[in-house]
Amino acid sequence: MLKFDDVSLKYGSFLALDRVSLHAGKGELVVLLGANGAGKSSLFLTASGIHRAAGGSITWEGRELVGSKPSAIVQAGVVQCPEGRKLFPQMSVRKNLELGAYVHRRDPGPSRQTLEEVLELFPILREKQHDPAGSLSGGQQQMVAIGRAMMGRPRVLLLDEPSLGLAPLVIKQMFEVIQRINQAGTTVLLAEQNAYAALRIAHRAYVLESGRIVREGLPGELLADDSIRRAYIGA
Ligand SMILES: Nc1ncnc2c1ncn2[C@@H]1O[C@H](COP(=O)(O)OP(=O)(O)OP(=O)(O)O)[C@@H](O)[C@H]1O
Ligand SMILES: [Mg+2]
């Protein structure tokens, strides 16, 4: 289980996360809804060891992550797919994917198998593996970003707004793949503003507002909630 207990984060004097508590159980697909600036990325960057929590604890299978190095956190199985993809556009698709296995460089054997699994999950990336990542469409670039995270062999995957800037049909396919990754055994914490698509594949969800968890519940409960619909679905 990945567990956040009373996690706070400050940027200078600005409190970006205010005693956030949430968890994702083994095998769960948990969605974190929140508008622009709610603190979703801040939460992920804190879990990944990029930012250091000002208070509280983040544990993965009982092990404290606050204070651990980002590379150690990936090695422990907690891998982030960052917002905005953050690819190396001039490098080939394949090189971008291989970079995700950097933390496993002392044990490269299994990475070839993982690469094969990623190319099976995203067949278009096999075709385009020698093309520069920057030449791909937005949806394909998002596949590279998710594939690169998979190369880190996540046991829990932190997905930060994978649908950002993608067309509706591409979003649908993206969420189907995320569901498949989860069904194959990877725990997923998915930050999204696209509430409708995200809640359709979620087991549970939380709503983050101004650094605080203001709601949690089952997808059906949140989809039926008028204030949630108004804020995130526009109906
Ligand atoms: N490095 C930083 N320094 C100062 N303030 C920051 C920094 N990063 C984020 N913030 C602020 O912290 C708050 C939360 O930002 P964050 O990026 O975590 O939100 P988000 O939910 O991921 O938003 P979005 O949907 O736009 O990605 C915002 O008010 C933002 O301006
Ligand atoms: Mg963000």
Side-chain angles (χ1 to χ4, degrees), residues 11 14 16 34-43 51 83 160-161 193:
Y11 296 114
F14 175 69
N36 285 327
K40 305 178 296 297
S41 298
S42 297
L43 190 72
H51 295 323
E83 180 179 320
D160 197 351
E161 298 207 54
Q193 298 197 48

Side-chain angles (χ1 to χ4, degrees), residues 177-207:
V177 174
I178 293 166
Q179 188 169 40
R180 246 196 290 153
I181 291 170
N182 171 248
Q183 285 168 349
T186 307
T187 302
V188 175
L189 185 56
L190 170 64
E192 265 298 336
Q193 298 197 48
N194 192 328
Y196 189 66
L199 289 174
R200 284 184 57 160
I201 61 167
H203 296 128
R204 285 188 306 113
Y206 295 89
V207 180

